[in-house]
Amino acid sequence: MGKKARSSPRREESLSRDRIIEASIELLDSSGESGLTFRALSDRLATGPGAIYWHIVNKSDLLAAACDAVVARTMNETVVTTPEATIQAVALGLFDVIDEHPWVGSALTSSPGLSPIVRILECIGQQIRALGVPDEQQWASVGALMAYILGVSSQNAANGQLARTRGLDRSDFLEAVSTAWSQLDPREYPFARSVAGQIRDHDDRMDFLAGIDLILSGIKSSRGR
């Protein structure tokens, strides 16, 4: 009797939720949200959609889980020191991770009630409390930081994607913006023209942290009011 024919190639190890999430992150990084489908995920994991649905309810659940995994790693790598330094470290970690995984920014804002956004909220909220901010000012303080962190990080990632789509490196992109601003009407855009030269050499991460420091300064100065 001849040998029994082998079944279609499928991974023999058991399929876990963690493996599904890691494969989803890889798909999101390579193809964006539109590329994350259960068919593509099934092909990557060499399994059937039914096995994935056993662990994941739908695409929204999958996107939130992938986002949470990326955010959790970033938060776990943060060294907690002073409240100000911790907020700065968390903010910069999120800035970098959204730049590396642009889909994270939209995933965070599209699922405000789920664990990834709550994870960030809790961390920043605890630091705001540690700064001695009065209870009635804590929500506004956390909200200002969250809006700045997510908004600026997502915009930075979008700018990077736009530059890559147009085939520009960062220096070429900034040079084009700087040149365009320097040619604006000085009567209508006096400020934009005045900072046009700074556009060429500015550091996105340093500018981002400067904004965090400004918000923290405002929060600390308002504590006694």
Side-chain angles (χ1 to χ4, degrees):
M1 181 181 294
K3 291 184 179 180
K4 185 178 179 180
R6 293 183 64 126
S7 58
S8 59
R10 294 181 184 264
R11 298 189 180 184
E12 296 181 357
E13 67 268 25
S14 61
L15 186 66
S16 68
R17 182 178 173 88
D18 287 345
R19 280 188 55 223
I20 294 171
I21 291 171
E22 288 305 312
S24 299
I25 292 171
E26 293 171 4
L27 274 174
L28 285 162
D29 286 346
S30 62
S31 306
E33 286 187 41
S34 62
L36 180 63
T37 65
F38 277 76
R39 179 186 295 275
L41 193 56
S42 298
D43 290 343
R44 183 174 287 266
L45 292 167
T47 190
I52 298 174
Y53 280 115
W54 181 262
H55 299 277
I56 301 292
V57 176
N58 51 41
K59 181 175 177 177
S60 295
D61 179 35
L62 185 58
L63 185 60
C67 180
D68 191 44
V70 172
V71 168
R73 290 172 195 162
T74 303
M75 307 293 281
N76 291 337
E77 291 170 358
T78 301
V79 177
V80 178
T81 53
T82 65
E84 294 95 332
T86 300
I87 290 173
Q88 290 168 339
V90 167
L92 193 57
L94 290 170
F95 181 87
D96 288 340
V97 83
I98 292 175
D99 187 46
E100 182 181 358
H101 309 279
W103 53 271
V104 168
S106 60
L108 283 169
T109 54
S110 63
S111 55
L114 300 180
S115 54
I117 200 75
V118 177
R119 191 186 297 278
I120 301 169
L121 177 81
E122 182 63 30
C123 179
I124 294 177
Q126 289 184 19
Q127 307 312 312
I128 289 297
R129 281 186 170 179
L131 283 172
V133 176
D135 291 350
E136 64 274 13
Q137 296 177 11
Q138 289 176 9
W139 175 248
S141 299
V142 173
L145 283 165
M146 293 279 288
Y148 177 82
I149 291 169
L150 298 183
V152 175
S153 298
S154 297
Q155 185 60 57
N156 174 73
N159 289 343
Q161 286 187 304
L162 177 62
R164 287 188 291 273
T165 300
R166 294 181 176 179
L168 297 172
D169 65 22
R170 184 178 184 276
S171 60
D172 291 339
F173 179 74
L174 293 180
E175 179 65 31
V177 173
S178 177
T179 300
W181 286 20
S182 67
Q183 296 172 352
L184 292 170
D185 187 328
R187 292 168 297 180
E188 292 189 53
Y189 304 100
F191 177 76
R193 280 178 58 97
S194 72
V195 298
Q198 298 176 37
I199 295 294
R200 291 186 177 91
D201 303 315
H202 82 280
D203 186 301
D204 295 321
R205 296 171 89 249
M206 294 302 295
D207 288 351
F208 174 74
L209 280 179
I212 293 291
D213 290 342
L214 285 171
I215 296 173
L216 286 174
S217 296
I219 290 171
K220 288 185 287 185
S221 68
S222 68
R223 282 181 297 187
R225 296 176 187 172

